[in-house]
């Protein structure tokens, strides 16, 4: 797996945006060129990666988005697109004409501040137009968690009945809104309750990286399994490749530095280099208890999000969270 970041431009300003450090530090072009994108497709070929995962910024704002997608499809690859759903009409029409088996669009949706949100209306239209090619994603960035609005959204739009749940992890700067490990257990209870509502509606919940087993009780983990939630405890170098052909571990760890994607780079070797760089920090984990945790010893849990672990050892920030 590797993500290609084709656009540094976005038309939303999510408070939890993981890409903030990367966007602040980046001196690269705003959009990937066709020539650089072709080199990155060569990199995916060398790495035996069959899925082209496009993200940004907002990837669909790339002025040549359709040409880039055509290049990927011409190599018999499938497309995965991480979008906020506010895409140009021509792009939406193009994507809606692609075969369902070649395309997976994750529409990242924030909880609307009011029922009549124009943003949510456009996202609803995107899900409806793409149907089974698309499904919602939701990033948890505060303890107040309302997910139930996603169930009627899926039913009304006829999109794929899957929700990708993410935890908003901290950028190393800590400048994005994020959840803190001491909040995980309370969030775990809310997530399990929601999964219990989603399963009877035929909606499957998938977990993104950085969830940990100890945020759920044993009974809660059994309930997740019974609901066939796609539960996993992962943290590894995803590889996000920017428009200048530089790979980072993942957005929250952008400040750990990048590696150039050269004419003979392959994803496995780049990941191994990032794993070597981060090994000394891995020993710690997000909690002091991780050091003696059986789940850690067996390899079931990697110790949570490495960015959160690194933040543990930085000077504390004064931050007041006010209920919204
Ligand atoms: S290793 Fe740490 S985060 Fe993972 S289950 Fe154990 S205590 Fe929780
Ligand atoms: S450090 Fe690990 S868990 Fe955190 S965002 Fe990166 S890959 Fe995900």
């Amino acid at each position: 797996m590797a993500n290609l970041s084709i656009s540094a431009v976005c038309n939303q300003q999510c408070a939890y945006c993981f890409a903030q450090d990367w966007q602040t530090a980046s001196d690269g072009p705003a959009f990937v060129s066709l020539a650089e994108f072709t080199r990155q497709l060569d990199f995916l070929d060398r790495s035996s990666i069959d899925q082209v995962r496009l993200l940004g910024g907002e990837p669909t704002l790339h002025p040549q988005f359709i040409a880039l997608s055509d290049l990927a499809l011409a190599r018999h690859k499938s497309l995965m697109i991480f979008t906020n759903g506010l895409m140009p009409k021509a792009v939406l029409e193009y994507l809606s004409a692609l075969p369902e088996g070649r395309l997976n669009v994750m529409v990242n949706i924030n909880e609307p501040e009011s029922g009549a949100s124009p943003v949510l209306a456009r996202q609803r239209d995107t899900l409806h137009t793409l149907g089974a090619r698309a499904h919602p994603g939701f990033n948890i960035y505060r303890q107040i968690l309302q997910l139930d609005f996603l169930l009627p959204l899926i039913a009304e739009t006829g999109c794929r009945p899957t929700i990708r749940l993410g935890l908003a992890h901290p950028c190393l700067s800590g400048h994005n809104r994020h959840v803190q490990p001491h909040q995980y257990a309370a969030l775990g209870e809310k997530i399990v309750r929601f999964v219990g509502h989603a399963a009877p509606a035929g909606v499957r919940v998938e977990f993104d990286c950085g969830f940990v087993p100890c945020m759920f009780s044993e009974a809660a983990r059994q309930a997740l399994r019974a609901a066939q939630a796609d539960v996993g405890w992962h943290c590894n170098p995803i590889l996000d490749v920017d428009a200048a052909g530089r790979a980072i571990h993942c957005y929250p760890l952008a400040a750990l530095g990048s590696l150039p994607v050269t004419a003979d780079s392959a994803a496995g070797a780049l990941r191994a280099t990032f794993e070597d760089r981060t090994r000394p920090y891995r020993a710690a984990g997000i909690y002091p208890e991780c050091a003696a945790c059986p789940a850690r010893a067996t390899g079931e849990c990697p110790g949570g999000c490495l960015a959160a672990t690194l933040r543990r050892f930085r000077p504390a920030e004064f931050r007041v969270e006010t209920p919204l």
Side-chain angles (χ1 to χ4, degrees):
M1 186 194 299
N3 299 323
L4 306 183
S5 180
I6 61 172
S7 161
V9 175
C10 189
N11 48 2
Q12 284 270 74
Q13 285 189 312
C14 301
Y16 57 80
C17 180
F18 316 103
Q20 286 184 21
D21 282 5
W22 168 75
Q23 280 174 329
T24 304
S26 180
D27 53 358
F31 298 113
V32 74
S33 66
L34 288 177
E36 174 56 33
F37 188 72
T38 300
R39 283 192 284 277
Q40 294 181 10
L41 291 177
D42 293 342
F43 161 71
L44 297 184
D45 283 345
R46 279 196 303 282
S47 308
S48 303
I49 295 175
D50 292 331
Q51 188 183 50
V52 178
R53 297 160 62 96
L54 303 179
L55 78 174
E58 170 51 41
T60 63
L61 296 182
H62 193 298
Q64 293 166 300
F65 178 87
I66 293 172
L68 296 174
S69 300
D70 280 344
L71 283 174
L73 293 168
R75 297 205 188 195
H76 306 289
K77 296 187 184 297
S78 63
L79 283 175
M80 169 100 203
I81 298 164
F82 298 89
T83 173
N84 59 32
L86 311 179
M87 58 182 70
K89 194 162 175 281
V91 170
L92 183 57
E93 282 172 6
Y94 166 82
L95 292 176
S96 67
L98 293 181
E100 288 176 12
R102 303 289 303 278
L103 178 64
N104 185 4
V105 180
M106 197 192 79
V107 179
N108 190 48
I109 294 177
N110 297 327
E111 186 192 342
E113 296 300 332
S114 71
S117 157
V119 170
L120 185 60
R122 279 190 66 189
Q123 291 169 326
R124 179 182 279 113
D125 182 54
T126 297
L127 288 170
H128 176 70
T129 305
L130 295 177
R133 298 169 189 82
H135 65 96
F138 186 97
N139 287 312
I140 300 167
Y141 68 97
R142 57 183 182 175
Q143 262 188 306
I144 301 166
L145 185 58
Q146 306 285 352
L147 294 168
D148 282 342
F149 78 97
L150 293 168
L151 299 179
L153 182 70
I154 289 173
E156 288 158 21
T157 59
C159 70
R160 191 143 60 82
T162 299
I163 298 170
R164 185 82 169 166
L165 272 191
L167 285 175
H169 298 301
C171 294
L172 284 187
S173 69
H175 289 159
N176 61 328
R177 287 281 302 266
H178 55 274
V179 288
Q180 312 229 7
H182 70 82
Q183 299 173 313
Y184 285 7
L187 287 171
E189 288 177 16
K190 293 173 186 173
I191 291 168
V192 171
R193 264 202 302 280
F194 173 67
V195 170
H197 298 166
V203 174
R204 187 161 189 258
V205 177
E206 299 176 350
F207 286 10
D208 212 328
C209 61
F211 285 83
V212 291
C214 62
M215 65 191 286
F216 302 102
S217 66
E218 183 48 45
R221 272 182 263 163
Q222 275 179 19
L224 291 172
R225 281 193 289 274
Q228 301 192 322
D230 184 2
V231 178
W233 327 114
H234 312 295
C235 174
N236 42 43
I238 300 158
L239 298 183
D240 289 333
V241 181
D242 74 5
R246 297 169 296 202
I248 55 174
H249 182 290
C250 59
Y251 276 142
L253 292 181
L256 284 188
S258 63
L259 295 169
V261 176
T262 61
D264 53 4
S265 296
L270 295 179
R271 277 195 205 102
T273 304
F274 279 119
E275 278 163 2
D276 283 346
R277 274 189 192 180
T278 53
R279 190 161 290 120
Y281 311 115
R282 284 268 176 217
I286 55 172
Y287 302 118
E289 295 78 13
C290 295
C293 175
R296 189 76 193 289
T298 60
E300 182 194 2
C301 177
C305 172
L306 191 55
T309 299
L310 290 170
R311 294 277 309 158
R312 232 182 101 196
F313 297 101
R314 295 168 79 93
E317 277 190 350
F318 183 74
R319 179 182 282 259
V320 177
E321 181 131 343
T322 49
L324 297 176

